[in-house]
Amino acid sequence: RARDEYQFIDACRRHGILPLLYRLAGRDAAFASNFSPVVKEEFERSYYSVALSNLKRREELFAIQDAFASRGIEAVVMKGIAVADTVYHDEAIRPMTDIDLFIREGDLERAKEALFALGYSLYDEKDQPLLSALSSELQFEIGGQFSLEMAWELTHFERFGGVVNIPPGDVFEFSREYRSGPVTLRAMKDELQLITLAWHYFLHGFSRLIWLCDIAYLIGEKGPSLDWDLVVSKAGEYRLRSVLWLALHLSRTVVGAQAPEGIEKKLAPFAFRKKMIARLLGTNEIIFAPRPRLATNRYLLELALMDGWIGRIKILFRLTFPSDAWIMNHYRLSNDWLALPLRIAHPFIMMKDALLGFFR
């Protein structure tokens, strides 16, 4: 039994939900009775550990915000801190490994200067040009620890370029200010936040329950006041209808968060694609036992979730015949000369893995 308890704790830690379970157990005695003292002690330890870590992140963010404001740089807080502030209303609930900020591309150089002045440096600097080319973001460290991701595009990834598009201007247009301690921060409005959380969950292969909880809690907290017509309209405009449908579907079936009646139906793909998506999710157990990043079935799932045949054909082509930069990143290569032979071998590797994964 002790072994099972520690396996459970480890699984909850991987999924980032230990602090959330602590809060739920504190509010519901019947729920708390399901867990042993050892497990509940780990819930509590994680909650206060996350609280301390996030307090340090918040102090970092306040300093960055001041430095940006003095240079006239507007930034939108993304993901972890934004969700902790505007959805959970408890910074100890949402574990986060870094600060995520979105800026205008025209502010990039001044933002870098501001961060360097605060003592930040580029994280793993030799890989930053590759990261910037593949995903329009830069990573920073301070005190020897990875600390910050700064992006100026949300959907600029090699295989999704020209297929999925969340215009950078929308991030600012559909944002709002809120008070966080002594400073004013900016986060996306709930409608766009819901879509981008679904996009983030999709990009990471549906691999952690905390990302699904972010979506579910936003629906539970803000669902009645959301402009669902705007959500559906923007998801269609961004070509993320199927991605959002799956996020809402999993929020309901796994966590119990219910979007208004009829919303899932408006977003749902045709029956054949739904069956394919269900098969790929079930076969690979992506939600509860995420496969490594190299798993080809994850890419098959991405294809099934893309809206429109032209988009799916583009992505399939880019997955089969990717750039050298993608090959270098995907196969974790350290030498450029290995990229050419792997570009030749890659289509056959993809085909083999897809057949073995889909029909096993």
Side-chain angles (χ1 to χ4, degrees), residues 7-21 46 88 93-95 201 204-214 254 285-291:
Q7 285 180 331
F8 172 75
I9 290 169
D10 183 61
C12 291
R13 183 178 293 111
R14 283 190 293 109
H15 282 289
I17 59 173
L18 282 171
L20 180 57
L21 292 175
S46 179
Y88 294 112
I93 292 296
R94 180 57 161 79
Y201 187 41
H204 288 279
F206 309 95
S207 57
R208 299 185 77 208
L209 285 176
I210 189 60
W211 294 328
L212 181 58
C213 290
D214 291 346
V254 177
E285 299 174 332
I286 291 174
I287 302 172
F288 300 110
R291 292 289 187 258

Side-chain angles (χ1 to χ4, degrees), residues 279-280 283-284 295-297 300 347-360:
R279 179 177 178 84
L280 288 165
T283 299
N284 288 280
T296 301
N297 272 36
L300 290 176
F348 302 99
I349 295 171
M350 291 282 288
M351 188 179 302
K352 172 186 70 73
D353 289 350
L355 290 172
L356 289 176
F358 194 76
F359 292 108
R360 107 180 134 195

